[in-house]
Amino acid sequence: MGLCVHVGIFLQQLYQTSSGSSSPNLPLNAALSSDYYDHTCPKAESIITKVVKKAMMNDKTVPAALLRMHFHDCFIRGCDGSVLLNSTAMNAAEKDGPPNISLHAFYVIDLAKKEVESQCPGVVSCADILALAARDAAALSGGPSWNVPKGRKDGRISKASETRQLPAPTFNLSQLQQSFFQRGLALEDLVALSGGHTLGFSHCSSFQNRIHNFDTAHDVDPSLQPSFAARLRNVCPMHNKVRSAGATLDSSVTAFDNIYFKLLVLGKSIFSSDEALLTATTTKTLVSKFANSQEEFYTAFVKSMIKMSSISSGGGQEIRLNCRVVN
């Protein structure tokens, strides 16, 4: 069942809170509104949902790809669609930065943009289309739904070098906390958004550090459940040559649920950054809460997605006509 959250009052509280906080590097965009396109492009959301749904029928990895794409967009220069821009002869764009090489399903945003443009030319930004598609990815996978605040503008700057600012799967808790705080996000947001790992797959390179030469005393991270670690080592041997090898991030990879948290408690997480959530009382308590209640997870995830999708650098300037190139 979708959990539909009405965001007006929540957003108002959110912006008041963020403007009074100790000034994170990227502020939240107070100009967003959940009814932004009600008069200028009333069918935008249903058009985008239809495109995402069709893409999911053809490729079950689309939901995870769209969620990750939106996350990576928002963490660099705010949610301005900069992750969608192609590199040029003069500039390597974000999508060609090392952490983003495995991003895919950009074609879904292209298709949605084409359909929306045919109805409302020059009205709906690529950044908004991505935010809406990410919501649809969760909702159409059996997860929560929510009213997405809209009104983002598309940015004109995209630099591959800036992708090093993205939180890495090897981060410890203090590194994760710093990365999230710089964007106005709290520990609860960190834990809730990590639950997006309920969808998705990781290549061996992102968790190799946990299953080979972990530290001077252990070959394997001792926090990993032994038989689970053995399975990972089997799939990803020390000198792995299979580029497509890896593991799903939880056992119900196409369902948006709280299984990720249940497995995390059992020592069956994939990334060091997942395991890091168990290293402090505050985050460990949240992990347990979300493992015990899918409803609590959904509520927190929705709040954190709205918060994250409102990050802005103030750099959005236009409504791109083609999501891959500036106007």
Side-chain angles (χ1 to χ4, degrees), residues 65-241:
L66 294 174
L67 265 180
R68 186 163 174 249
M69 194 188 297
H70 182 45
F71 180 89
H72 284 213
D73 183 35
C74 293
F75 264 57
I76 307 295
R77 297 183 169 270
C79 313
D80 66 347
S82 53
V83 75
L84 304 171
L85 288 170
N86 283 350
S87 294
T88 65
M90 303 295 288
N91 178 65
E94 286 172 36
K95 63 167 63 166
D96 290 318
N100 285 344
I101 295 296
S102 57
L103 286 182
H104 67 287
F106 291 103
Y107 71 92
V108 180
I109 305 302
D110 294 336
L111 287 171
K113 178 65 172 173
K114 185 180 176 185
E115 294 287 329
V116 169
E117 283 295 308
S118 71
Q119 292 284 320
C120 327
V123 172
V124 182
S125 68
C126 297
D128 275 349
I129 289 173
L130 179 51
L132 288 161
R135 185 271 314 272
D136 291 339
L140 293 170
S141 299
S145 186
W146 60 95
N147 289 330
V148 175
K150 296 165 285 289
R152 297 164 192 79
K153 294 289 190 289
D154 294 322
R156 295 177 57 84
I157 299 170
S158 182
K159 296 179 182 297
S161 59
E162 293 182 350
T163 60
R164 64 171 69 107
Q165 299 168 25
L166 288 165
T170 53
F171 270 15
N172 62 33
L173 188 59
S174 64
Q175 291 171 310
L176 289 167
Q177 188 172 358
Q178 183 181 10
S179 177
F180 275 64
F181 179 73
Q182 285 171 348
R183 292 158 177 85
L185 301 172
L187 281 177
E188 177 149 3
D189 302 311
L190 164 61
V191 180
L193 292 171
S194 294
H197 288 165
T198 180
L199 302 173
F201 172 89
S202 170
H203 291 100
C204 298
S205 57
S206 294
F207 58 89
Q208 201 82 357
N209 64 305
R210 299 189 74 195
I211 57 173
H212 300 290
N213 299 326
F214 177 68
D215 61 23
T216 51
H218 307 91
D219 192 26
V220 174
D221 182 344
S223 64
L224 277 171
Q225 200 261 353
S227 62
F228 179 68
R231 284 206 303 279
L232 293 180
R233 281 166 64 92
N234 190 43
V235 173
C236 301
M238 173 76 94
H239 301 293
N240 173 53
K241 297 284 194 296

